[in-house]
Amino acid sequence: MLKSTLEAFSDNLFSDKNGQARQAAINGTVELSNLIPPTVSYESRGNLLIIGEQETITTAASQFSELNSVTLLATEKAETEKAENLYFSKEVAVKGYLGAFEVTCRVEGALTDTTANLAKVAIGRNCFDLIVDMTADGVVATEIPAPGYYRVGAGKGKLARVIEELPAMLGTFDKPKYFRLNPDKCAHSSRGVSGCDRCVDACPAGALSSNGHAIEINPYLCQGVGTCAMACPTEAITYALPDPDNTQHFVHRLLTRYQEEGGETPTLLFYGNRDEKTLADTLTKLPTTVIPVALEELATVGVDTWFSALAYGAHQVLLATNTAYIPATIDRVLSEELTIAQTFLSELGYEADRITLFNFADAESFQAFDAPLLSEAKRIEGAKREKLFAVLEMLYDAASQKPACSELPADAPYGSVECQSSDCTLCMSCVAVCPTRALHAVGDRPGLLFIEQDCVQCGMCEKACPEKVIAMKPGLNWDKATRQEVRVIHEEEAACCTSCGKPFAPASMVKMLTEKLQGHSHFQGDAIRRLAMCEDCRVRDVFSKIENDPESQLRV
């Protein structure tokens, strides 16, 4: 539709130099595409459950006669006669997806007052295939319901569309897996300590959850919104349709071709495929310097892609949508990511709206930026954070303001840690749980090292510290060398083994353990002095005593 719109207006509205350059760039740049992605399959036999007030659902039931079966679950009774296959319950729970909806409730009139699987009671199967929810507030609370669940409410227009659509929802359906998950990069949990859960909070479809030690993604519930990948600071979750690298390479080729064709002052406009018709209607109201880029969903790219576009020559990046219709979770995740991006820009003296959310309704009043942020376009490579920091360094070098450090919002995945070194025993619990090795040991002596650029502010070190001396500090150190250097957080003199002389532990830890355990019954006599030995000498000393005095094992 986009190319046809451009071609339709190319002879008049889009006939200027920039309009022609834009059309040449879009026509001449290989479109974003993927190899056939992994898929999941749904199987629907057409067994429908309608939930709502009795009068409402009994009236609607006859409209679905083409389906295999129709079961009615009334949440409010009426004086009318009981319809066929009608059940009553005010306590209803629904989970699942197309072809596999499990509905549990307390069925009034049943022999027992226990929660039952309604599908087994009504149709002799484990689940329903389709659900039409006509309750006022909806039984399922997720903002983006699973495929096969239709939240109709009292809207007659919605019901009419569902009546027309449902007969086609019989058979087997394939849906792509929109994500890739690499548990090795995940900062959610380590050694029983919980950390980052940004992806779980960012999913409006309820597809992500924690099993206590790892993130799980239900591909049947995932609707491909992309906010989980945007929120993930480590690239443990990446979007796959297409992946960010392909998106950024496409943007680079597009902007390069536009400029080679003589185009000037480009503005990049990202939009989701669902808004393609709106964009086509809006494009005539925007300057011909605005270059649209279609995405599967608007939130599938984040701060690294936005800043990469500025490095590739875009004067501004617009995230275009009908802002009134953004689900609350998507709006929140986008806003949080935008706040971080705009904080970076503002701190350097640039206009914050060089990256901004753009409402299609404001097209006629849009004013583009004439000047770029960077004098020379440059292609960026690397991982997500590497690309972002590379562009930030370029912007810093060209900035009018050069702050040393900048504060960021509390939920930002950038920053450092603070350690009250006077109380730190160098037990290395923080090192054991750090998912990125931002915190690590010195190696040859008792010491704790830190690399700020690698810290994603997951908070696991803070929770794992038994002395409670570590705290998160969101922010950004603009000096590249300082941000990337290995910094000593705390180090101290090593305790040397009283037997062999080998350094084996922080002196403060040995002292603390000795003071705490000297009154304990298990650490009397020779036992207490073994705390000042290395692990090898400690074992040798124990067995030496057993050898010299075997009966000591019997004396407790």
Side-chain angles (χ1 to χ4, degrees):
M1 180 182 290
L2 175 59
K3 287 188 177 181
S4 61
T5 301
L6 290 171
E7 291 169 359
F9 291 100
S10 61
D11 293 333
N12 40 62
L13 293 178
F14 300 159
S15 60
D16 68 329
K17 179 178 66 174
N18 292 321
Q20 294 300 313
R22 177 176 67 181
Q23 184 170 343
I26 291 175
N27 288 338
T29 305
V30 177
E31 292 187 356
L32 287 168
S33 60
N34 301 272
L35 298 174
I36 298 174
T39 60
V40 293
S41 296
Y42 303 94
E43 185 176 354
S44 169
R45 297 174 177 82
N47 295 308
L48 170 67
L49 173 68
I50 307 177
I51 309 173
E53 295 182 2
Q54 182 178 341
E55 289 186 356
T56 303
I57 62 177
T58 52
T59 301
S62 61
Q63 304 294 319
F64 299 101
S65 58
E66 295 180 47
L67 299 177
N68 185 43
S69 70
V70 178
T71 302
L72 306 177
L73 179 58
T75 54
E76 297 290 341
K77 284 186 177 181
E79 299 299 326
T80 56
E81 294 183 8
K82 189 178 186 300
E84 182 180 357
N85 217 15
L86 174 64
Y87 300 86
F88 298 96
S89 180
K90 290 189 176 182
E91 298 179 32
V92 184
V94 175
K95 64 179 182 179
Y97 43 84
L98 176 65
F101 284 109
E102 183 180 323
V103 180
T104 54
C105 59
R106 293 183 183 275
V107 179
E108 291 188 22
L111 294 178
T112 60
D113 188 31
T114 58
T115 300
N117 182 332
L118 183 60
K120 287 186 177 180
V121 174
I123 60 175
R125 302 191 65 87
N126 289 324
C127 54
F128 293 102
D129 300 302
L130 300 159
I131 292 181
V132 172
D133 187 347
M134 302 184 74
T135 60
D137 298 325
V139 175
V140 176
T142 54
E143 294 172 66
I144 301 181
Y149 177 90
Y150 299 86
R151 186 183 296 154
V152 174
K156 293 183 179 180
K158 287 184 178 180
L159 179 60
R161 289 193 296 273
V162 171
I163 291 171
E164 183 179 347
E165 181 178 338
L166 252 59
M169 299 302 293
L170 280 77
T172 301
F173 306 88
D174 291 332
K175 177 182 73 69
K177 280 187 175 180
Y178 293 99
F179 59 86
R180 294 190 181 98
L181 175 61
N182 184 348
D184 293 337
K185 292 184 177 181
C186 186
H188 172 64
S189 178
S190 178
R191 300 172 186 263
V193 178
S194 61
C196 173
D197 54 6
R198 291 182 175 94
C199 60
V200 176
D201 293 338
C203 181
L208 284 87
S209 60
S210 170
N211 62 16
H213 58 83
I215 292 294
E216 294 181 340
I217 304 179
N218 187 327
Y220 294 94
L221 297 179
C222 175
Q223 301 298 295
V225 174
T227 43
C228 58
M230 174 183 283
C232 179
T234 63
E235 288 187 291
I237 300 177
T238 54
Y239 202 74
L241 293 175
D243 61 69
D245 269 348
N246 282 334
T247 300
Q248 292 170 22
H249 292 162
F250 173 80
V251 168
H252 180 263
R253 294 194 303 270
L254 186 66
L255 288 169
T256 300
R257 180 65 181 269
Y258 173 80
Q259 292 166 333
E260 288 174 349
E261 294 289 338
E264 299 174 341
T265 64
T267 295
L268 201 69
L269 184 148
F270 287 117
Y271 70 98
N273 281 332
R274 70 182 66 215
D275 288 326
E276 186 169 15
K277 185 180 185 305
T278 304
L279 174 74
D281 295 338
T282 305
L283 209 55
T284 57
K285 303 173 186 177
L286 291 169
T288 53
T289 55
V290 175
I291 306 173
V293 174
L295 302 169
E296 187 75 18
E297 295 282 354
L298 182 62
T300 59
V301 299
V303 64
D304 56 312
T305 299
W306 304 341
F307 274 95
S308 292
L310 296 178
Y312 299 157
H315 291 201
Q316 186 179 19
V317 176
L318 304 178
L319 311 173
T321 188
N322 291 302
T323 55
Y325 304 110
I326 301 180
T329 298
I330 299 176
D331 184 37
R332 174 181 57 79
V333 176
L334 267 173
S335 297
E336 289 172 354
E337 192 87 342
L338 264 173
T339 298
I340 293 171
Q342 293 182 339
T343 299
F344 288 148
L345 291 168
S346 298
E347 287 290 294
L348 297 176
Y350 299 118
E351 299 90 346
D353 56 352
R354 291 283 186 156
I355 301 174
T356 188
L357 199 63
F358 177 71
N359 193 339
F360 284 121
D362 298 330
E364 291 185 352
S365 60
F366 173 71
Q367 295 291 322
F369 285 99
D370 292 330
L373 292 185
L374 298 168
S375 58
E376 182 180 353
K378 183 178 180 181
R379 182 163 174 166
I380 307 298
E381 298 289 351
K384 180 177 182 177
R385 290 170 71 89
E386 291 173 337
K387 290 174 183 173
L388 173 61
F389 284 122
V391 181
L392 292 179
E393 288 155 17
M394 294 163 59
L395 292 171
Y396 183 84
D397 291 339
S400 59
Q401 298 176 192
K402 297 185 184 294
C405 299
S406 295
E407 293 184 3
L408 292 175
D411 56 353
Y414 314 96
S416 61
V417 297
E418 293 181 334
C419 176
Q420 298 175 22
S421 56
S422 59
D423 296 322
C424 176
T425 61
L426 290 174
C427 67
M428 298 301 163
S429 295
C430 55
V431 170
V433 298
C434 182
T436 64
R437 291 201 78 249
L439 283 167
H440 55 281
V442 172
D444 59 348
R445 62 187 187 279
L448 180 61
L449 303 179
F450 177 69
I451 303 174
E452 179 179 330
Q453 186 158 306
D454 293 339
C455 180
V456 296
Q457 299 285 288
C458 66
M460 280 195 278
C461 59
E462 186 175 21
K463 294 177 182 177
C465 179
E467 311 301 335
K468 305 302 177 187
V469 297
I470 290 182
M472 298 293 98
K473 186 180 180 182
L476 181 70
N477 189 322
W478 289 99
D479 182 72
K480 176 182 177 180
T482 304
R483 194 175 62 244
Q484 295 181 342
E485 74 175 352
V486 180
R487 179 162 55 93
V488 177
I489 295 290
H490 177 48
E491 66 176 339
E492 63 177 66
E493 179 185 355
C496 294
C497 176
T498 54
S499 179
C500 70
K502 181 181 74 175
F504 72 98
S508 63
M509 180 179 288
V510 174
K511 180 182 178 183
M512 179 268 293
L513 289 173
T514 302
E515 291 174 351
K516 284 188 175 182
L517 298 175
Q518 60 186 354
H520 197 282
S521 59
H522 289 178
F523 289 89
Q524 299 304 305
D526 291 337
I528 194 69
R529 67 179 179 80
R530 293 192 185 111
L531 292 176
M533 295 180 183
C534 69
E535 59 273 23
D536 295 332
C537 292
R538 197 176 303 134
V539 172
R540 280 194 292 268
D541 190 68
V542 168
F543 280 95
S544 174
K545 181 175 181 179
I546 292 174
E547 182 181 9
N548 296 330
D549 183 10
E551 293 184 2
S552 64
Q553 298 177 78
L554 304 176
R555 295 192 294 270
V556 180

